[in-house]
Amino acid sequence: MTNEQLRIGLIGTGRIGKVHAANIAALSETTLTWVIDPYIAGAEAIAAERGARATADPAEAFASGDLDAVIIASPTSTHADLIEQAIAAGLPVLCEKPIDLDIARVDKLAPVVEGSGVPFAVGFNRRFDRDFSLARERLIAGEVGNLEQLSIISRDPAPPTVENLRTTGGIFRDQTIHDFDMARYFAPDIVEVFATGSQLFDDGAEQTSDFDTAMVTMRTSAGVQISITNSRHSSIGYDQRIEIFGGEGMLEVGNAGTSLVSYSNATAVKTTTPYQHFFLERYSEAYLEELREFSRLVRGEESRCSTFADGRAALLLADAAELSAREGRVVRVDLGR
């Protein structure tokens, strides 16, 4: 690096791209120098706002000499090729999940990334949520004894568009993949997957042969039981909960509300405001912490960033869940290589 601030290129100017752009500007150790998107108007708008340069061509930015790292927040179908180009240019990468929808493409890319020595991280931002991280620390410290059961509930407020459903690989590779990573964050040695899926309310899921509701049960080599509950809608708001149960106690992480004020009267006790609406609110601090950790990774410091292997493992679990739900059977998995 040629200056104190980490010079970052942002690829993709959609919803997540805008989150990353704001966070890059918010941290004193990072600065946005390039915004890259085939939709050049989107790139130019963010670049003008943040004092960066805009281009539709990643190669122009990669060859500019004005980058220390890149964040890939473009559509999933572009991830693998962009990763390969960035690694070839010697640029550290933070890539939004998943690495790719095709595990064969991921496996082909693995030696390119892992053999390069160039820092790489997958955007599993929930690892950086303060409460999830604290719960994991307390589990590791032995507060609940040996882990026996892990329960994850993750429900979105509303289904995505049909156009989105056609390109994101289905509920297991799009939504549940975050929960698969969280499961491994607490209990990494998963060997068995069983999943069911239903079409209960979303016409888009029916049109794309996807599921709008899913449940997954998994087991580790030591017999720890893991359950994941997903839905594409939730009338109560963004539903994000984890329960960690062991022989000596239990840890729980509940939903985040929009206020700490509660109200009681003759007909109701402790009524409160709604839960936060969606991931942009619920995980805003986690995204910022993720960027801090990525900066540390790029600078060669100790970092908690997830790895290429973490991204591959989550996709393997998603593939296993899809197969299980389609065929109605338990699927054995080997997450090692």
Side-chain angles (χ1 to χ4, degrees), residues 136 147 182-191 220 226 313 317 335:
R136 181 174 181 265
L147 179 62
M182 286 306 298
R184 292 190 62 253
Y185 189 52
F186 289 94
D189 190 19
I190 297 167
V191 297
T220 72
I226 302 167
L317 291 172
L335 302 183

Side-chain angles (χ1 to χ4, degrees), residues 151-175:
S151 301
I152 300 172
I153 295 174
S154 180
R155 298 185 178 106
D156 285 352
T161 64
V162 175
E163 291 73 20
N164 179 276
L165 289 171
R166 295 189 196 283
T167 61
T168 53
I171 191 171
F172 295 117
R173 298 181 186 89
D174 178 37
Q175 179 177 352

Side-chain angles (χ1 to χ4, degrees), residues 83-106:
I83 291 168
E84 200 160 20
Q85 293 172 45
I87 294 296
L91 291 169
V93 174
L94 170 60
C95 182
E96 284 296 334
K97 62 79 190 170
I99 296 170
D100 194 81
L101 295 177
D102 181 1
I103 192 63
R105 180 71 174 99
V106 172

